[in-house]
Amino acid sequence: MPLQVQPALEEDVARLQEIEATAFETCEAMRIMWPFVYGNERTKEAEEDHKAYLLSHITEDQLMEVMKVVDTGNSNEIIAFASFHICLEGLPNPELRDTRNPTEFGLGSNLEACLGFYSLSFQRQIKHIKNKPCAMLEMLCTDPKHSRRGAASLLLEWSCKRAKEEQLPLYLETFETGHKLYERYGFHDVDSHIWDMRPFGGSGTCWHGLMLKEN
């Protein structure tokens, strides 16, 4: 099979960051919240800070598994990746985040926009997941040049299998663009919100939801 799922390595971080930035270029909400990472105002400093964040997932967090999809027919090019988190004591308490710190969401973030968006997301997490052992698919990104090749499906299949091995429910959060794909893999809606992007310079509203696959 030309596409294979493999553990991401330290030396993959630059490519993972490139895939993530490219994948979210067309997502207005992400560009608003992280203009210096995904938007037209990208800076080298913000990109390096985000690489360090991705690297910590690979090298420091023993409960985080970062997986990549490589194209074995094209010099093992990385075309997608996912971050999978085992949360034996539930998700880290979002109420403990330092919302006064301008870099709480990274150097490339718009703190006001992030707080506007994540205050709704955090309320949802507290309501449904706080203190509940679970697995969380925290990120799934495919290089747009390699979309519709099955890379995202491979990562979803791996994540569902991994959560089942741990006998944990698998949660994820998604924008509307990924909703139908996740439904095809047995995820169902738990809760959602509509975020008004206009106070932060956006063109309208966007839907964001919490989904669950039971095991």
Side-chain angles (χ1 to χ4, degrees):
M1 184 176 180
L3 300 185
Q4 291 184 1
V5 178
Q6 301 175 4
L9 306 174
E10 184 174 345
E11 55 264 34
D12 298 328
V13 166
R15 174 59 178 153
L16 302 187
Q17 197 274 337
E18 178 185 25
I19 291 172
E20 184 180 339
T22 305
F24 285 129
E25 274 181 342
T26 57
C27 179
E28 185 179 17
M30 296 297 279
R31 294 198 313 270
I32 289 171
M33 288 187 283
W34 285 278
F36 303 111
V37 178
Y38 307 123
N40 296 326
E41 305 173 65
R42 292 185 195 175
T43 67
K44 188 68 174 178
E45 184 181 25
E47 288 182 353
E48 291 302 317
D49 179 70
H50 196 65
K51 285 179 187 176
Y53 171 76
L54 290 172
L55 181 62
S56 70
H57 283 182
I58 295 173
T59 62
E60 297 177 16
D61 192 337
Q62 296 182 350
L63 296 178
M64 182 76 74
E65 299 178 48
V66 182
M67 306 302 293
K68 62 185 178 182
V69 173
V70 299
D71 185 347
T72 60
N74 186 23
S75 303
N76 287 331
E77 180 185 11
I78 303 172
I79 66 171
F81 78 97
S83 298
F84 177 89
H85 195 186
I86 296 175
C87 310
L88 297 179
E89 298 180 359
L91 287 178
N93 189 351
E95 295 170 306
L96 299 179
R97 299 197 72 148
D98 184 2
T99 56
R100 296 168 298 177
N101 181 354
T103 62
E104 175 65 17
F105 295 91
L107 289 179
S109 65
N110 176 331
L111 180 62
E112 185 179 0
C114 285
L115 290 176
F117 178 87
Y118 280 103
S119 63
L120 302 172
S121 177
F122 290 161
Q123 289 173 21
R124 196 168 56 210
Q125 291 178 12
I126 292 168
K127 179 179 178 181
H128 297 286
I129 314 179
K130 185 178 180 181
N131 301 324
K132 180 180 179 180
C134 65
M136 188 81 176
L137 183 58
E138 297 198 355
M139 177 74 70
L140 196 162
C141 291
T142 300
D143 185 331
K145 297 193 301 292
H146 295 278
S147 63
R148 300 187 181 279
R149 294 187 59 195
S153 293
L154 287 175
L155 289 167
L156 271 173
E157 289 168 2
W158 181 92
S159 300
C160 292
K161 180 181 178 181
R162 187 72 183 86
K164 189 171 184 178
E165 289 173 354
E166 297 292 333
Q167 298 183 315
L168 292 172
L170 177 58
Y171 287 90
L172 60 81
E173 291 185 300
T174 182
F175 292 102
E176 193 167 5
T177 50
H179 188 257
K180 289 185 178 179
L181 172 64
Y182 298 130
E183 280 188 323
R184 290 204 299 269
Y185 279 84
F187 288 85
H188 63 84
D189 293 332
V190 175
D191 205 344
S192 64
H193 71 259
I194 301 294
W195 184 47
D196 188 353
M197 300 181 288
R198 289 169 293 190
F200 311 101
S203 62
T205 62
C206 72
W207 179 93
H208 193 253
L210 175 68
M211 302 185 77
L212 164 68
K213 181 179 174 67
E214 297 281 5
N215 284 308

